[in-house]
């Protein structure tokens, strides 16, 4: 079972609990001749008379024995997706979704915190068991 299969539905349900409308599952777009596919696209209507907030969420489970290897992959995907999203939908904000236990351990390391700050990675911390968003980090 892939990480997408394992955590995808939990994050989707967690977003919906926070009144996000899932608009794309997955969110597909092109940048030049390259096709991209982010796990989820969602929108929250802020008010009836103005446009809603749009996000894209790339879900990661960090299930491999090496968290740093998973982080390298997640960081590369995040930066590539953000570049392509900025060109296609500049009003959509990209988030990286990580499980609570990984955030409480690996994401507290000095290296990881420095990388998150330097590369301006926006995080959604989720609890996969309770299917809730624990924290948004901008």
């Amino acid at each position: 079972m892939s990480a997408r299969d394992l955590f995808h539905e939990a994050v989707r349900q967690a977003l919906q609990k926070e009144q996000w409308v899932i608009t794309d599952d997955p969110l597909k777009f092109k940048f030049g001749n390259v096709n991209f596919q982010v796990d989820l696209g969602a929108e929250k209507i802020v008010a009836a008379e103005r446009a809603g907030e749009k996000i894209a969420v790339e879900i990661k489970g960090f299930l491999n024995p090496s968290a740093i290897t998973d982080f390298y992959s997640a960081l590369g995907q995040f930066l590539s997706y953000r570049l392509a999203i900025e060109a296609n939908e500049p009003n959509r904000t990209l988030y990286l979704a990580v499980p609570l236990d990984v955030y409480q351990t690996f994401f507290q390391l000095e290296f990881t915190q420095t990388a998150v700050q330097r590369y301006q990675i926006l995080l959604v911390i989720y609890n996969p068991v309770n299917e809730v968003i624990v924290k948004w980090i901008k």
Side-chain angles (χ1 to χ4, degrees):
M1 179 177 285
S2 72
R4 174 173 156 55
D5 294 335
L6 189 59
F7 295 119
H8 185 89
E9 193 58 32
V11 173
R12 182 185 172 98
Q13 291 297 320
L15 289 169
Q16 289 175 324
K17 287 178 184 177
E18 291 202 357
Q19 308 307 308
W20 287 96
V21 175
I22 305 302
T23 56
D24 301 275
D25 186 359
L27 174 63
K28 297 178 182 181
F29 54 95
K30 284 183 85 161
F31 183 37
N33 291 328
V34 179
N35 294 315
F36 291 92
Q37 186 169 301
V38 180
D39 289 324
L40 293 172
E43 185 172 355
K44 184 180 271 189
I45 303 301
V46 179
E49 62 275 350
R50 58 189 176 129
E53 181 181 358
K54 291 183 177 184
I55 62 172
V57 180
E58 180 60 23
I59 304 163
K60 294 298 175 196
F62 286 82
L63 298 174
N64 290 317
S66 171
I68 193 69
T69 300
D70 281 344
F71 183 71
Y72 295 155
S73 175
L75 178 61
Q77 268 188 302
F78 182 88
L79 294 175
S80 297
Y81 290 170
R82 185 170 63 193
L83 179 67
I85 286 172
E86 287 172 353
N88 282 280
E89 289 189 66
N91 62 337
R92 188 180 294 271
T93 304
L94 177 65
Y95 286 87
L96 178 66
V98 298
L100 179 59
D101 62 334
V102 174
Y103 176 74
Q104 291 174 330
T105 55
F106 181 74
F107 276 76
Q108 298 310 306
L109 300 176
E110 181 182 4
F111 167 77
T112 315
Q113 289 184 349
T114 301
V116 166
Q117 290 172 350
R118 170 139 329 139
Y119 299 114
Q120 300 173 350
I121 302 169
L122 306 181
L123 299 172
V124 176
I125 313 308
Y126 66 94
N127 180 322
V129 175
N130 298 333
E131 297 183 339
V132 296
I133 303 298
V134 177
K135 189 175 194 177
W136 294 84
I137 302 174
K138 292 186 175 192

